[in-house]
Amino acid sequence: MIYVSRLEHFNAAHKLFNPNWSLAKNKEVFGPCANTNWHGHNYELIVTVKGKPDPDTGFVIDLKKLSTLIRTHIIEKVDHKNLNLDVSFMEDKLASTENLVVEFWKILEPRVREISNNIAALHSLKLYETPRNYVEYFGE
C-alpha cells in the first residue's frame, strides 16, 4: 500500500461558543477562543490517500487532480471566511477543528474515489490549527 499526501493552506476566523451555555461558562471552557469578536488561524490541511499505483501511470492518484479537488471543494469554501457564519457545511455546528475535519472528510471521501477511478481511497486528514495543535481523522 502506498500513501500519498497533499498539503494545502487556508486562513479562517471562528469562535468557540456553545449557545446553550452562559457567557461565563463559554469563557471558562473555551478561554480566548470564545472571544465575541472572533479570532483567526492559519490552517494547514494534509490530505493523505492510499492505494496501489495504476499500472498505466505509476500514480496512486494524480496530485494535480487531488489539489484541484481540495481547492475547489474545501479551500474556496473556507479561505478568508468566518467558519461560524460563512461556511454552509458548518451551520449549526461548533466550529472546532475536530468538527471541521469531519466535515472535510464527508466532502472529500467520495470525490477521491471518483477522481482516481476507485484506485485510491482517502486514508487520513490532518488539520493544523496552529503549528503545535492539530487533529488527525481516519473517517472512523
Side-chain angles (χ1 to χ4, degrees):
M1 191 63 56
I2 305 290
Y3 297 83
V4 179
S5 297
R6 173 72 188 185
L7 170 68
E8 296 286 348
H9 174 86
F10 65 95
N11 302 304
H14 74 139
K15 170 173 57 174
L16 295 178
F17 190 86
N18 185 329
N20 298 316
W21 295 349
S22 68
L23 181 59
K25 182 165 183 176
N26 274 285
K27 286 185 176 184
E28 175 189 332
V29 173
F30 300 124
C33 295
N35 183 342
T36 348
N37 294 316
W38 318 96
H39 68 284
H41 296 284
N42 300 312
Y43 290 91
E44 299 284 347
L45 174 63
I46 301 171
V47 176
T48 301
V49 301
K50 65 181 178 181
K52 295 185 179 173
D54 181 314
D56 293 329
T57 64
F59 298 160
V60 170
I61 194 162
D62 181 328
L63 284 170
K64 285 183 277 183
K65 288 182 181 179
L66 181 60
S67 178
T68 299
L69 170 69
I70 298 164
R71 282 187 275 116
T72 301
H73 295 282
I74 302 294
I75 305 304
E76 290 178 8
K77 309 282 189 228
V78 297
D79 191 33
H80 289 87
K81 300 286 191 328
N82 182 314
L83 299 175
N84 300 79
L85 302 176
D86 302 327
V87 179
S88 61
F89 57 81
M90 291 302 293
E91 189 174 325
D92 298 323
K93 294 176 184 72
L94 194 67
S96 68
T97 306
E98 294 88 338
N99 286 338
L100 188 59
V101 81
V102 169
E103 295 306 311
F104 287 176
W105 183 278
K106 291 175 186 175
I107 293 165
L108 293 174
E109 194 276 330
R111 290 175 172 91
V112 165
R113 289 191 180 278
E114 183 181 311
I115 66 166
S116 71
N117 296 318
N118 290 313
I119 292 173
L122 189 55
H123 173 69
S124 68
L125 297 177
K126 189 180 283 190
L127 182 60
Y128 282 84
E129 185 178 66
T130 73
R132 289 178 285 206
N133 296 331
Y134 69 88
V135 297
E136 194 164 9
Y137 186 60
F138 296 89
E140 302 164 357

